mmCIF file of all heavy atoms in Angstrom:
data_model
loop_
_atom_site.group_PDB
_atom_site.id
_atom_site.type_symbol
_atom_site.label_atom_id
_atom_site.label_comp_id
_atom_site.label_asym_id
_atom_site.label_seq_id
_atom_site.Cartn_x
_atom_site.Cartn_y
_atom_site.Cartn_z
ATOM 1 N N SER A 1 49.657 94.344 96.241
ATOM 2 C CA SER A 1 49.251 92.943 96.088
ATOM 3 C C SER A 1 47.796 92.844 95.631
ATOM 4 O O SER A 1 47.449 91.952 94.855
ATOM 5 C CB SER A 1 49.462 92.167 97.390
ATOM 6 O OG SER A 1 48.491 92.496 98.367
ATOM 7 N N PHE A 2 46.960 93.753 96.086
ATOM 8 C CA PHE A 2 45.555 93.760 95.674
ATOM 9 C C PHE A 2 45.427 94.189 94.211
ATOM 10 O O PHE A 2 44.652 93.616 93.440
ATOM 11 C CB PHE A 2 44.744 94.695 96.566
ATOM 12 C CG PHE A 2 43.310 94.822 96.147
ATOM 13 C CD1 PHE A 2 42.401 93.809 96.409
ATOM 14 C CD2 PHE A 2 42.865 95.946 95.477
ATOM 15 C CE1 PHE A 2 41.078 93.921 96.013
ATOM 16 C CE2 PHE A 2 41.552 96.070 95.074
ATOM 17 C CZ PHE A 2 40.648 95.048 95.343
ATOM 18 N N GLN A 3 46.200 95.210 93.814
ATOM 19 C CA GLN A 3 46.087 95.755 92.465
ATOM 20 C C GLN A 3 46.802 94.923 91.409
ATOM 21 O O GLN A 3 46.384 94.902 90.255
ATOM 22 C CB GLN A 3 46.642 97.183 92.440
ATOM 23 C CG GLN A 3 45.796 98.152 93.232
ATOM 24 C CD GLN A 3 46.406 99.545 93.300
ATOM 25 O OE1 GLN A 3 47.611 99.730 93.148
ATOM 26 N NE2 GLN A 3 45.557 100.533 93.538
ATOM 27 N N GLU A 4 47.878 94.241 91.795
ATOM 28 C CA GLU A 4 48.737 93.614 90.804
ATOM 29 C C GLU A 4 48.662 92.095 90.759
ATOM 30 O O GLU A 4 49.239 91.484 89.856
ATOM 31 C CB GLU A 4 50.197 94.028 91.042
ATOM 32 C CG GLU A 4 50.413 95.526 90.915
ATOM 33 C CD GLU A 4 51.825 95.951 91.270
ATOM 34 O OE1 GLU A 4 52.741 95.110 91.267
ATOM 35 O OE2 GLU A 4 52.012 97.159 91.537
ATOM 36 N N THR A 5 47.999 91.460 91.728
ATOM 37 C CA THR A 5 47.983 89.998 91.760
ATOM 38 C C THR A 5 46.583 89.489 92.084
ATOM 39 O O THR A 5 45.695 90.251 92.449
ATOM 40 C CB THR A 5 48.950 89.435 92.826
ATOM 41 O OG1 THR A 5 48.388 89.632 94.128
ATOM 42 C CG2 THR A 5 50.322 90.075 92.745
ATOM 43 N N ASN A 6 46.440 88.192 91.995
ATOM 44 C CA ASN A 6 45.204 87.537 92.427
ATOM 45 C C ASN A 6 45.348 86.998 93.853
ATOM 46 O O ASN A 6 44.521 86.212 94.289
ATOM 47 C CB ASN A 6 44.853 86.377 91.474
ATOM 48 C CG ASN A 6 44.430 86.888 90.116
ATOM 49 O OD1 ASN A 6 43.831 87.953 90.002
ATOM 50 N ND2 ASN A 6 44.757 86.133 89.090
ATOM 51 N N ASN A 7 46.416 87.396 94.532
ATOM 52 C CA ASN A 7 46.696 86.882 95.862
ATOM 53 C C ASN A 7 47.026 88.037 96.812
ATOM 54 O O ASN A 7 48.186 88.237 97.156
ATOM 55 C CB ASN A 7 47.858 85.885 95.797
ATOM 56 C CG ASN A 7 48.073 85.177 97.101
ATOM 57 O OD1 ASN A 7 47.147 84.993 97.876
ATOM 58 N ND2 ASN A 7 49.306 84.788 97.340
ATOM 59 N N PRO A 8 46.019 88.797 97.252
ATOM 60 C CA PRO A 8 46.291 89.928 98.132
ATOM 61 C C PRO A 8 46.934 89.494 99.453
ATOM 62 O O PRO A 8 46.635 88.427 99.982
ATOM 63 C CB PRO A 8 44.926 90.553 98.387
ATOM 64 C CG PRO A 8 43.995 89.930 97.421
ATOM 65 C CD PRO A 8 44.603 88.661 96.954
ATOM 66 N N ILE A 9 47.826 90.329 99.945
ATOM 67 C CA ILE A 9 48.542 90.092 101.195
ATOM 68 C C ILE A 9 48.046 91.107 102.217
ATOM 69 O O ILE A 9 48.038 92.308 101.951
ATOM 70 C CB ILE A 9 50.069 90.254 100.985
ATOM 71 C CG1 ILE A 9 50.570 89.228 99.961
ATOM 72 C CG2 ILE A 9 50.812 90.122 102.304
ATOM 73 C CD1 ILE A 9 52.009 89.463 99.528
ATOM 74 N N ASN A 10 47.631 90.628 103.380
ATOM 75 C CA ASN A 10 47.195 91.521 104.456
ATOM 76 C C ASN A 10 48.370 92.262 105.062
ATOM 77 O O ASN A 10 49.505 91.763 105.072
ATOM 78 C CB ASN A 10 46.507 90.718 105.566
ATOM 79 C CG ASN A 10 45.161 90.219 105.158
ATOM 80 O OD1 ASN A 10 44.347 90.969 104.640
ATOM 81 N ND2 ASN A 10 44.917 88.939 105.366
ATOM 82 N N ALA A 11 48.103 93.435 105.611
ATOM 83 C CA ALA A 11 49.114 94.206 106.331
ATOM 84 C C ALA A 11 48.800 94.161 107.823
ATOM 85 O O ALA A 11 47.640 94.070 108.222
ATOM 86 C CB ALA A 11 49.115 95.660 105.849
ATOM 87 N N PHE A 12 49.856 94.210 108.655
ATOM 88 C CA PHE A 12 49.681 94.329 110.093
ATOM 89 C C PHE A 12 50.773 95.226 110.651
ATOM 90 O O PHE A 12 51.803 95.447 110.018
ATOM 91 C CB PHE A 12 49.663 92.964 110.790
ATOM 92 C CG PHE A 12 50.973 92.217 110.729
ATOM 93 C CD1 PHE A 12 51.936 92.366 111.716
ATOM 94 C CD2 PHE A 12 51.229 91.344 109.678
ATOM 95 C CE1 PHE A 12 53.136 91.673 111.649
ATOM 96 C CE2 PHE A 12 52.417 90.652 109.602
ATOM 97 C CZ PHE A 12 53.379 90.811 110.596
ATOM 98 N N ILE A 13 50.509 95.754 111.829
ATOM 99 C CA ILE A 13 51.449 96.658 112.489
ATOM 100 C C ILE A 13 51.722 96.128 113.888
ATOM 101 O O ILE A 13 50.794 95.805 114.637
ATOM 102 C CB ILE A 13 50.867 98.083 112.559
ATOM 103 C CG1 ILE A 13 50.668 98.640 111.146
ATOM 104 C CG2 ILE A 13 51.765 99.000 113.382
ATOM 105 C CD1 ILE A 13 49.818 99.880 111.084
ATOM 106 N N VAL A 14 52.994 96.058 114.243
ATOM 107 C CA VAL A 14 53.400 95.625 115.574
ATOM 108 C C VAL A 14 53.605 96.880 116.418
ATOM 109 O O VAL A 14 54.438 97.728 116.083
ATOM 110 C CB VAL A 14 54.697 94.794 115.526
ATOM 111 C CG1 VAL A 14 55.125 94.377 116.930
ATOM 112 C CG2 VAL A 14 54.524 93.581 114.619
ATOM 113 N N ARG A 15 52.823 96.990 117.499
ATOM 114 C CA ARG A 15 52.980 98.125 118.412
ATOM 115 C C ARG A 15 54.262 97.968 119.219
ATOM 116 O O ARG A 15 54.684 96.850 119.500
ATOM 117 C CB ARG A 15 51.809 98.190 119.386
ATOM 118 C CG ARG A 15 50.493 98.566 118.765
ATOM 119 C CD ARG A 15 49.400 98.538 119.844
ATOM 120 N NE ARG A 15 48.170 99.072 119.338
ATOM 121 C CZ ARG A 15 47.860 100.369 119.348
ATOM 122 N NH1 ARG A 15 48.696 101.241 119.851
ATOM 123 N NH2 ARG A 15 46.715 100.781 118.868
ATOM 124 N N LYS A 16 54.860 99.103 119.604
ATOM 125 C CA LYS A 16 56.053 99.035 120.455
ATOM 126 C C LYS A 16 55.702 98.464 121.816
ATOM 127 O O LYS A 16 56.488 97.746 122.423
ATOM 128 C CB LYS A 16 56.698 100.402 120.571
ATOM 129 C CG LYS A 16 57.269 100.826 119.224
ATOM 130 C CD LYS A 16 58.037 102.097 119.262
ATOM 131 C CE LYS A 16 58.477 102.372 117.829
ATOM 132 N NZ LYS A 16 59.376 103.443 117.668
ATOM 133 N N GLU A 17 54.493 98.765 122.292
ATOM 134 C CA GLU A 17 53.969 98.194 123.530
ATOM 135 C C GLU A 17 52.488 97.898 123.307
ATOM 136 O O GLU A 17 51.801 98.657 122.637
ATOM 137 C CB GLU A 17 54.113 99.176 124.693
ATOM 138 C CG GLU A 17 55.542 99.461 125.079
ATOM 139 C CD GLU A 17 55.644 100.430 126.243
ATOM 140 O OE1 GLU A 17 54.661 100.601 126.985
ATOM 141 O OE2 GLU A 17 56.712 101.021 126.384
ATOM 142 N N ALA A 18 52.014 96.816 123.898
ATOM 143 C CA ALA A 18 50.599 96.471 123.754
ATOM 144 C C ALA A 18 49.735 97.566 124.361
ATOM 145 O O ALA A 18 50.125 98.211 125.338
ATOM 146 C CB ALA A 18 50.310 95.139 124.446
ATOM 147 N N LYS A 19 48.561 97.773 123.763
ATOM 148 C CA LYS A 19 47.612 98.747 124.302
ATOM 149 C C LYS A 19 47.228 98.340 125.717
ATOM 150 O O LYS A 19 47.155 97.154 126.032
ATOM 151 C CB LYS A 19 46.338 98.804 123.455
ATOM 152 C CG LYS A 19 46.515 99.437 122.117
ATOM 153 C CD LYS A 19 45.230 99.714 121.365
ATOM 154 C CE LYS A 19 44.103 98.777 121.550
ATOM 155 N NZ LYS A 19 42.934 99.064 120.703
ATOM 156 N N GLN A 20 46.962 99.307 126.550
ATOM 157 C CA GLN A 20 46.560 99.033 127.928
ATOM 158 C C GLN A 20 45.051 99.153 128.107
ATOM 159 O O GLN A 20 44.564 99.255 129.221
ATOM 160 C CB GLN A 20 47.294 99.987 128.878
ATOM 161 C CG GLN A 20 48.802 99.854 128.830
ATOM 162 C CD GLN A 20 49.277 98.438 129.122
ATOM 163 O OE1 GLN A 20 48.889 97.840 130.117
ATOM 164 N NE2 GLN A 20 50.089 97.889 128.230
ATOM 165 N N HIS A 21 44.314 99.152 127.000
ATOM 166 C CA HIS A 21 42.859 99.238 127.046
ATOM 167 C C HIS A 21 42.282 98.410 125.895
ATOM 168 O O HIS A 21 43.037 97.854 125.099
ATOM 169 C CB HIS A 21 42.408 100.709 126.958
ATOM 170 C CG HIS A 21 42.874 101.396 125.721
ATOM 171 N ND1 HIS A 21 44.146 101.887 125.579
ATOM 172 C CD2 HIS A 21 42.241 101.642 124.552
ATOM 173 C CE1 HIS A 21 44.276 102.435 124.377
ATOM 174 N NE2 HIS A 21 43.140 102.290 123.733
ATOM 175 N N GLY A 22 40.976 98.347 125.838
ATOM 176 C CA GLY A 22 40.325 97.571 124.774
ATOM 177 C C GLY A 22 40.721 96.109 124.855
ATOM 178 O O GLY A 22 40.599 95.476 125.893
ATOM 179 N N LYS A 23 41.257 95.586 123.782
ATOM 180 C CA LYS A 23 41.646 94.175 123.717
ATOM 181 C C LYS A 23 43.124 93.966 124.052
ATOM 182 O O LYS A 23 43.644 92.862 123.898
ATOM 183 C CB LYS A 23 41.333 93.629 122.324
ATOM 184 C CG LYS A 23 39.827 93.558 122.052
ATOM 185 C CD LYS A 23 39.481 93.267 120.605
ATOM 186 C CE LYS A 23 39.971 91.958 120.122
ATOM 187 N NZ LYS A 23 39.602 91.681 118.719
ATOM 188 N N ASN A 24 43.814 95.029 124.486
ATOM 189 C CA ASN A 24 45.231 94.946 124.868
ATOM 190 C C ASN A 24 46.102 94.352 123.759
ATOM 191 O O ASN A 24 47.001 93.571 124.014
ATOM 192 C CB ASN A 24 45.417 94.140 126.151
ATOM 193 C CG ASN A 24 44.695 94.751 127.322
ATOM 194 O OD1 ASN A 24 44.589 95.969 127.429
ATOM 195 N ND2 ASN A 24 44.188 93.921 128.199
ATOM 196 N N GLN A 25 45.819 94.744 122.540
ATOM 197 C CA GLN A 25 46.523 94.173 121.400
ATOM 198 C C GLN A 25 47.925 94.741 121.244
ATOM 199 O O GLN A 25 48.145 95.934 121.382
ATOM 200 C CB GLN A 25 45.728 94.407 120.112
ATOM 201 C CG GLN A 25 44.420 93.678 120.109
ATOM 202 C CD GLN A 25 43.686 93.781 118.799
ATOM 203 O OE1 GLN A 25 42.982 92.858 118.480
ATOM 204 N NE2 GLN A 25 43.815 94.837 118.044
ATOM 205 N N GLY A 26 48.838 93.863 120.878
ATOM 206 C CA GLY A 26 50.194 94.267 120.552
ATOM 207 C C GLY A 26 50.423 94.295 119.058
ATOM 208 O O GLY A 26 51.401 94.849 118.580
ATOM 209 N N ILE A 27 49.499 93.658 118.332
ATOM 210 C CA ILE A 27 49.579 93.626 116.871
ATOM 211 C C ILE A 27 48.223 94.047 116.326
ATOM 212 O O ILE A 27 47.191 93.501 116.712
ATOM 213 C CB ILE A 27 49.953 92.217 116.364
ATOM 214 C CG1 ILE A 27 51.331 91.826 116.905
ATOM 215 C CG2 ILE A 27 49.911 92.167 114.839
ATOM 216 C CD1 ILE A 27 51.760 90.422 116.551
ATOM 217 N N GLU A 28 48.234 95.022 115.427
ATOM 218 C CA GLU A 28 47.004 95.521 114.800
ATOM 219 C C GLU A 28 46.903 94.968 113.392
ATOM 220 O O GLU A 28 47.879 94.932 112.654
ATOM 221 C CB GLU A 28 47.007 97.051 114.746
ATOM 222 C CG GLU A 28 47.074 97.726 116.094
ATOM 223 C CD GLU A 28 45.821 97.531 116.932
ATOM 224 O OE1 GLU A 28 44.770 97.151 116.389
ATOM 225 O OE2 GLU A 28 45.906 97.757 118.145
ATOM 226 N N GLY A 29 45.713 94.525 113.034
ATOM 227 C CA GLY A 29 45.488 93.983 111.702
ATOM 228 C C GLY A 29 44.902 92.597 111.808
ATOM 229 O O GLY A 29 44.226 92.278 112.785
ATOM 230 N N PRO A 30 45.195 91.734 110.823
ATOM 231 C CA PRO A 30 44.599 90.404 110.825
ATOM 232 C C PRO A 30 45.132 89.542 111.967
ATOM 233 O O PRO A 30 46.235 89.767 112.462
ATOM 234 C CB PRO A 30 45.007 89.828 109.468
ATOM 235 C CG PRO A 30 46.284 90.524 109.153
ATOM 236 C CD PRO A 30 46.107 91.922 109.701
ATOM 237 N N ASP A 31 44.355 88.556 112.348
ATOM 238 C CA ASP A 31 44.754 87.598 113.366
ATOM 239 C C ASP A 31 45.876 86.729 112.794
ATOM 240 O O ASP A 31 45.732 86.149 111.723
ATOM 241 C CB ASP A 31 43.537 86.743 113.723
ATOM 242 C CG ASP A 31 43.734 85.932 114.975
ATOM 243 O OD1 ASP A 31 44.844 85.931 115.529
ATOM 244 O OD2 ASP A 31 42.756 85.299 115.399
ATOM 245 N N LEU A 32 46.999 86.636 113.499
ATOM 246 C CA LEU A 32 48.150 85.880 112.999
ATOM 247 C C LEU A 32 48.265 84.501 113.637
ATOM 248 O O LEU A 32 49.292 83.858 113.534
ATOM 249 C CB LEU A 32 49.442 86.671 113.232
ATOM 250 C CG LEU A 32 49.510 88.031 112.551
ATOM 251 C CD1 LEU A 32 50.828 88.708 112.850
ATOM 252 C CD2 LEU A 32 49.295 87.907 111.047
ATOM 253 N N LYS A 33 47.199 84.025 114.262
ATOM 254 C CA LYS A 33 47.208 82.687 114.864
ATOM 255 C C LYS A 33 47.208 81.635 113.772
ATOM 256 O O LYS A 33 47.129 81.935 112.584
ATOM 257 C CB LYS A 33 45.981 82.506 115.748
ATOM 258 C CG LYS A 33 45.971 83.408 116.955
ATOM 259 C CD LYS A 33 44.702 83.193 117.739
ATOM 260 C CE LYS A 33 44.633 84.199 118.868
ATOM 261 N NZ LYS A 33 43.362 84.172 119.562
ATOM 262 N N ASP A 34 47.254 80.398 114.199
ATOM 263 C CA ASP A 34 47.160 79.253 113.291
ATOM 264 C C ASP A 34 48.275 79.243 112.252
ATOM 265 O O ASP A 34 48.058 78.962 111.078
ATOM 266 C CB ASP A 34 45.789 79.212 112.586
ATOM 267 C CG ASP A 34 44.631 79.132 113.574
ATOM 268 O OD1 ASP A 34 44.799 78.450 114.604
ATOM 269 O OD2 ASP A 34 43.603 79.771 113.320
ATOM 270 N N ASN A 35 49.472 79.596 112.703
ATOM 271 C CA ASN A 35 50.655 79.504 111.843
ATOM 272 C C ASN A 35 50.602 80.375 110.594
ATOM 273 O O ASN A 35 51.067 79.977 109.536
ATOM 274 C CB ASN A 35 50.925 78.045 111.465
ATOM 275 C CG ASN A 35 51.178 77.181 112.675
ATOM 276 O OD1 ASN A 35 51.866 77.595 113.600
ATOM 277 N ND2 ASN A 35 50.611 75.991 112.685
ATOM 278 N N ALA A 36 50.023 81.564 110.713
ATOM 279 C CA ALA A 36 50.009 82.490 109.578
ATOM 280 C C ALA A 36 51.450 82.724 109.124
ATOM 281 O O ALA A 36 52.347 82.929 109.940
ATOM 282 C CB ALA A 36 49.362 83.810 109.981
ATOM 283 N N LYS A 37 51.656 82.681 107.830
ATOM 284 C CA LYS A 37 52.990 82.904 107.265
ATOM 285 C C LYS A 37 53.133 84.390 106.965
ATOM 286 O O LYS A 37 52.320 84.959 106.247
ATOM 287 C CB LYS A 37 53.169 82.063 106.010
ATOM 288 C CG LYS A 37 53.172 80.581 106.315
ATOM 289 C CD LYS A 37 53.287 79.762 105.063
ATOM 290 C CE LYS A 37 53.285 78.297 105.451
ATOM 291 N NZ LYS A 37 53.045 77.445 104.319
ATOM 292 N N VAL A 38 54.185 84.997 107.527
ATOM 293 C CA VAL A 38 54.324 86.447 107.405
ATOM 294 C C VAL A 38 55.721 86.861 106.960
ATOM 295 O O VAL A 38 56.696 86.141 107.149
ATOM 296 C CB VAL A 38 53.986 87.170 108.737
ATOM 297 C CG1 VAL A 38 52.608 86.779 109.233
ATOM 298 C CG2 VAL A 38 55.023 86.898 109.793
ATOM 299 N N ALA A 39 55.772 88.047 106.382
ATOM 300 C CA ALA A 39 57.024 88.738 106.082
ATOM 301 C C ALA A 39 57.115 89.915 107.036
ATOM 302 O O ALA A 39 56.110 90.567 107.329
ATOM 303 C CB ALA A 39 57.039 89.227 104.634
ATOM 304 N N ILE A 40 58.314 90.191 107.517
ATOM 305 C CA ILE A 40 58.569 91.337 108.381
ATOM 306 C C ILE A 40 59.326 92.367 107.566
ATOM 307 O O ILE A 40 60.234 92.032 106.805
ATOM 308 C CB ILE A 40 59.412 90.929 109.614
ATOM 309 C CG1 ILE A 40 58.680 89.893 110.461
ATOM 310 C CG2 ILE A 40 59.818 92.149 110.432
ATOM 311 C CD1 ILE A 40 57.423 90.394 111.134
ATOM 312 N N VAL A 41 58.968 93.650 107.720
ATOM 313 C CA VAL A 41 59.710 94.703 107.041
ATOM 314 C C VAL A 41 60.120 95.765 108.035
ATOM 315 O O VAL A 41 59.477 95.960 109.061
ATOM 316 C CB VAL A 41 58.947 95.348 105.859
ATOM 317 C CG1 VAL A 41 57.864 94.523 105.335
ATOM 318 C CG2 VAL A 41 58.459 96.691 106.093
ATOM 319 N N ASP A 42 61.207 96.414 107.714
ATOM 320 C CA ASP A 42 61.671 97.568 108.467
ATOM 321 C C ASP A 42 62.128 98.586 107.429
ATOM 322 O O ASP A 42 62.712 98.203 106.412
ATOM 323 C CB ASP A 42 62.832 97.177 109.383
ATOM 324 C CG ASP A 42 63.049 98.157 110.517
ATOM 325 O OD1 ASP A 42 62.432 99.247 110.497
ATOM 326 O OD2 ASP A 42 63.835 97.850 111.422
ATOM 327 N N ASP A 43 61.839 99.863 107.680
ATOM 328 C CA ASP A 43 62.207 100.861 106.673
ATOM 329 C C ASP A 43 63.722 101.040 106.588
ATOM 330 O O ASP A 43 64.257 101.293 105.531
ATOM 331 C CB ASP A 43 61.492 102.194 106.901
ATOM 332 C CG ASP A 43 61.833 102.870 108.210
ATOM 333 O OD1 ASP A 43 62.319 102.202 109.139
ATOM 334 O OD2 ASP A 43 61.602 104.088 108.312
ATOM 335 N N VAL A 44 64.423 100.875 107.701
ATOM 336 C CA VAL A 44 65.886 100.974 107.734
ATOM 337 C C VAL A 44 66.386 99.943 108.736
ATOM 338 O O VAL A 44 65.818 99.808 109.808
ATOM 339 C CB VAL A 44 66.361 102.363 108.210
ATOM 340 C CG1 VAL A 44 67.865 102.402 108.369
ATOM 341 C CG2 VAL A 44 65.905 103.444 107.256
ATOM 342 N N ILE A 45 67.439 99.230 108.384
ATOM 343 C CA ILE A 45 68.031 98.310 109.351
ATOM 344 C C ILE A 45 69.453 98.777 109.637
ATOM 345 O O ILE A 45 70.290 98.815 108.742
ATOM 346 C CB ILE A 45 68.015 96.858 108.849
ATOM 347 C CG1 ILE A 45 66.586 96.352 108.785
ATOM 348 C CG2 ILE A 45 68.863 95.973 109.763
ATOM 349 C CD1 ILE A 45 66.421 94.900 108.445
#
């Protein structure tokens, strides 16, 4: 998205379990608050 468009898309990773230290995050990457519109992907369904 960065290389091919003028509209880069951020990436995020959903942890299987939230971290038990630091900020206890369950999602790594950009903040998804405020109704962020997202796509979900899975390598195999």
Side-chain angles (χ1 to χ4, degrees):
S1 74
F2 176 76
Q3 292 175 337
E4 299 175 19
T5 74
N6 291 327
N7 188 28
I9 299 171
N10 288 311
F12 66 90
I13 297 167
V14 179
R15 291 178 172 273
K16 293 186 182 188
E17 294 180 20
K19 289 190 327 185
Q20 299 303 309
H21 59 280
K23 292 169 62 179
N24 299 326
Q25 295 186 150
I27 299 176
E28 299 292 343
D31 193 354
L32 300 180
K33 294 178 186 172
D34 301 323
N35 300 319
K37 294 177 180 165
V38 305
I40 299 293
V41 340
D42 200 350
D43 63 340
V44 174
I45 292 186

